[in-house]
Amino acid sequence: MDLTKQQRLVVDALEDVKAHDIKVFDTTKLTGLFDRVIIVSATSNRQSRALAASVRDKVKDHGGHVISVEGEDTGEWVLVDLGDIVVHIMQPAVRAYYNLEELWGGKPVRVKLATASIARAST
């Protein structure tokens, strides 16, 4: 699956379950292991698990491959490894503590979010 299509698929899956503060980082120049890191916040452990399930199911439904899902037992930090894309679903306190945004670069990839479109359309 094309990286751009897979990235859009993942962002859509996260938005379907109301993920907060979605950030996408291009890591092609930082590591050869994967091309994108997506970091999102969830309001509860249950939502973290639901977000991971949404990503996993949507990617599989579209013929993609999920390498692994880690951290679902606690739900504080769930990692979904899709090969070219790694998704970090984190509780706000965990996200603030580890500050992965700083690690993967301060400038996220511009991705059009459905929630931003809806907000603009309603004003």
Side-chain angles (χ1 to χ4, degrees):
M1 182 183 304
D2 173 73
L3 179 63
T4 305
K5 288 180 183 177
Q6 188 177 27
Q7 176 181 298
R8 180 79 256 160
L9 194 66
V10 171
V11 170
D12 288 346
L14 293 166
E15 288 183 319
D16 288 348
V17 188
K18 310 290 188 239
H20 295 274
D21 197 18
I22 300 171
K23 301 284 188 216
V24 179
F25 295 94
D26 182 350
T27 59
T28 53
K29 293 180 181 161
L30 300 174
T31 181
L33 298 174
F34 41 83
D35 296 325
R36 295 287 186 275
V37 168
I38 299 176
I39 304 170
V40 304
S41 293
T43 57
S44 67
N45 296 352
R46 181 177 289 189
Q47 186 187 25
S48 295
R49 290 189 285 271
L51 287 164
S54 178
V55 169
R56 180 184 60 233
D57 295 345
K58 198 162 219 173
V59 168
K60 283 184 177 181
D61 288 348
H62 285 83
H65 180 68
V66 178
I67 295 173
S68 70
V69 178
E70 304 292 331
E72 284 183 301
D73 51 336
T74 64
E76 290 182 5
W77 181 351
V78 182
L79 183 135
V80 183
D81 185 351
L82 304 172
D84 290 336
I85 298 176
V86 176
V87 183
H88 296 273
I89 302 164
M90 309 171 89
Q91 298 295 311
V94 174
R95 185 172 177 174
Y97 181 79
Y98 287 100
N99 196 14
L100 295 181
E101 286 88 345
E102 185 177 309
L103 177 68
W104 294 115
K107 187 175 180 187
V109 174
R110 295 188 66 154
V111 177
K112 188 172 187 174
L113 302 175
T115 52
S117 305
I118 293 168
R120 272 184 252 144
S122 65
T123 56

